[in-house]
Amino acid sequence: ENLVVYVPVQMPEQKLEAVKETEEDMADWYRITLHRLVTICKVMSSKYTRSKVRKALPQEFSYILEELIHEDGTGANKQLYYKEIIETIISLDQADRFIISISNLIQRLSIDQLHVIGDIYDRGPKAAQIMDLLETYHSVDIQWGNHDISWMGAAAGCQALICNVIRICARYANLDTIDEDYGINLIPLVTFAAEKYADDPCEKFMPTLSEDDIISDKDARLIAKIHKAISIMQFKAEGQIIMRHPEYKMEDRMLLGTIDKEKGTVLVEGSEYAVTDTSFPTLDPSDPYAFSAEEETVMNKIKSSFVNSEKLQKHIRMLYSNGSLYKKFNTNLMFHGCIPMNEDGSLKKVFVDGEYLSGMRLFDAVDRTVREGYFNKPHSERKRECMDYIWYLWCGENSPLFGKKKMATFERYFLDDKETHKEERCPYYRHRDKEEICKMVLEDFEMDPENSHIINGHVPVKVSKGESPIKADGRLFVIDGGFAKA
């Protein structure tokens, strides 16, 4: 009843090149391969009406494919006709093109709707190429992840998130995404970092490399300086947002202003810790969250590059047009992060846009605010408020995309005490294992709790440690496998 198809990692073009290097009788290989592909295509097309299949057929081979797919193969004449079509394709040297076309058709038929449950950006390279590919996909929707929302806010012009995406790209030696793929000019930042941190080894800011990364020591040291420079600018920009929004209740994250350079200490949650780095050349103790004149100049130039990058804006608009905070599709409720919950598992009321909301109403309000942050009138007060909230979604305790009490970025950079690095998850991640909690969530989202499922991303499943991606007696599935090498 079920045909299992193992899709090779290679694309059909690559596979054909590899086969030609080793195969002695290509004509025979073509016959076998074409028959197999047609068989698979028949099974895949059987799920749909002829009309839908016809619309999916590649134009150049549509007539031939329709004949082959709907040919039942019974009877001597039918089999001869079938065979002659295959032989004609081979004799006219069209086998390669036909194999590529039918392979793409099989993929399209086997994946009728592609759901991306967030986090296209940040950890791995080639995010821009992934977005290029998704733009060409026949039917795709995206449930925004916290890393996607960070880029969406940066593209809107949020200074803190511009700093954040540059910081993460620097951390993983992935700045090519910004300067080469998106054409964003980082020279002002590179020049500033190289000069301002010239005598600073920036050891804690050396990039994290994968086994495939090839980078010189000189480049690594320069990236470390960029990494530190943009991190300090990020902490300043975040402090400015926190001061504008006391309702976020994030004053305890304003650590930059508690640094005592003479003592070499910082205050974290009321306790004093020694910092591993005391080089803060742009920090003004009397106004720690103000950009220096040089930082202000750099920030303005980089922001202009982000909001005027044609390719970045094109990709971000695709995230808006094809994306949302959550999606209900058939019997599935799909979202990336979490549902804010209280300790007892009840839905938590969160203040957003002047109201205390929970569950689906909260998600709807957050979705509207995110869209306003991008599409509202430039330089308006409302746009800035919404952009600030997009930043909150990146790292705020009650964010449905973050799901932790705090983001310990500062502590990981400047404190050796590992206890300060811990980021406690919100109660949702304890309660989502319970079927009754999942049913309660589904009901709140106006779905049948007995026949629907939750598809969740964000937190990678630690299969190697025995964790199952299937939760709550099959009511919830976690699809984040931590694909990125980082």
Side-chain angles (χ1 to χ4, degrees), residues 144-154 161 370 390 393-394 401:
W144 304 323
N146 53 319
H147 290 275
D148 305 318
I149 210 76
S150 177
W151 279 80
M152 290 159 71
L161 290 176
V370 170
I390 294 175
L393 291 173
W394 164 251
L401 289 176

Side-chain angles (χ1 to χ4, degrees), residues 50-252:
R50 283 200 176 197
S51 175
K52 183 159 185 173
V53 173
R54 191 176 293 118
K55 291 174 183 176
L57 295 175
Q59 189 172 0
E60 60 178 340
F61 294 114
S62 60
Y63 178 77
I64 297 172
L65 277 166
E66 191 164 8
E67 288 288 295
L68 292 172
I69 290 171
H70 298 299
E71 172 58 54
D72 61 15
T74 57
N77 288 337
K78 290 285 187 182
Q79 289 180 357
L80 180 62
Y81 175 61
Y82 182 98
K83 182 179 178 182
E84 283 303 314
I85 291 176
I86 298 294
E87 292 297 330
T88 302
I89 291 169
I90 296 170
S91 65
L92 292 175
D93 292 328
Q94 296 298 303
D96 282 11
R97 291 173 63 198
F98 190 83
I99 286 170
I100 291 167
S101 289
I102 197 171
S103 296
N104 290 333
L105 175 61
I106 288 168
Q107 185 194 53
R108 178 163 183 165
L109 293 174
S110 61
I111 306 175
D112 183 52
Q113 178 80 12
L114 179 64
H115 307 290
V116 181
I117 321 290
D119 279 359
I120 296 164
Y121 283 92
D122 276 346
R123 287 297 187 269
K126 311 296 182 185
Q129 290 184 28
I130 293 168
M131 290 300 298
D132 283 339
L133 179 64
L134 290 177
E135 281 187 319
T136 67
Y137 211 83
H138 56 275
S139 190
V140 60
D141 56 72
I142 301 161
Q143 288 70 65
W144 304 323
N146 53 319
H147 290 275
D148 305 318
I149 210 76
S150 177
W151 279 80
M152 290 159 71
C158 175
Q159 294 183 343
L161 290 176
I162 288 171
C163 293
N164 186 58
V165 301
I166 297 173
R167 177 184 66 81
I168 293 176
C169 284
R171 181 181 176 188
Y172 293 102
N174 195 24
L175 289 169
D176 288 352
T177 298
I178 295 175
D179 57 5
E180 292 184 13
D181 293 344
Y182 285 129
I184 291 169
N185 182 15
L186 291 178
I187 291 176
L189 174 62
V190 174
T191 303
F192 165 76
E195 292 177 354
K196 191 59 66 174
Y197 295 88
D199 300 323
D200 188 338
C202 301
E203 293 177 0
K204 287 278 189 176
F205 294 86
M206 292 295 284
T208 301
L209 304 175
S210 71
E211 58 187 18
D212 296 331
D213 289 323
I214 301 173
I215 185 171
S216 69
D217 290 343
K218 181 180 178 181
D219 285 343
R221 288 194 296 272
L222 179 57
I223 291 173
K225 296 180 190 305
I226 296 168
H227 189 181
K228 183 173 182 180
I230 202 67
S231 297
I232 299 302
M233 291 173 66
Q234 178 177 338
F235 298 141
K236 290 183 176 185
E238 289 178 339
Q240 294 170 20
I241 293 176
I242 293 169
M243 286 188 287
R244 285 199 295 268
H245 296 277
E247 71 274 16
Y248 292 172
K249 298 179 181 178
M250 293 181 67
E251 290 79 7
D252 61 333

Side-chain angles (χ1 to χ4, degrees), residues 392-408:
Y392 180 85
L393 291 173
W394 164 251
C395 60
E397 179 180 355
N398 292 319
S399 163
L401 289 176
F402 179 49
K404 296 178 182 178
K405 281 190 172 293
K406 69 173 184 179
M407 184 173 286

Side-chain angles (χ1 to χ4, degrees), residues 311-343:
K311 187 170 186 178
L312 174 62
Q313 297 300 330
K314 179 168 170 276
H315 285 168
I316 296 303
R317 285 194 296 273
M318 191 257 187
L319 285 177
Y320 277 100
S321 61
N322 289 61
S324 55
L325 195 63
Y326 72 98
K327 188 171 185 69
K328 296 188 287 187
F329 193 94
N330 293 334
T331 58
N332 298 312
L333 170 62
M334 297 174 285
F335 56 87
H336 177 78
C338 67
I339 310 289
M341 286 183 177
N342 298 308
E343 291 294 334

Side-chain angles (χ1 to χ4, degrees), residues 3 99 178 192 217 221 264 300 310 352 369 378 473:
L3 176 68
I99 286 170
I178 295 175
F192 165 76
D217 290 343
R221 288 194 296 272
N300 288 338
E310 185 176 344
V352 55
T369 302
D473 295 324

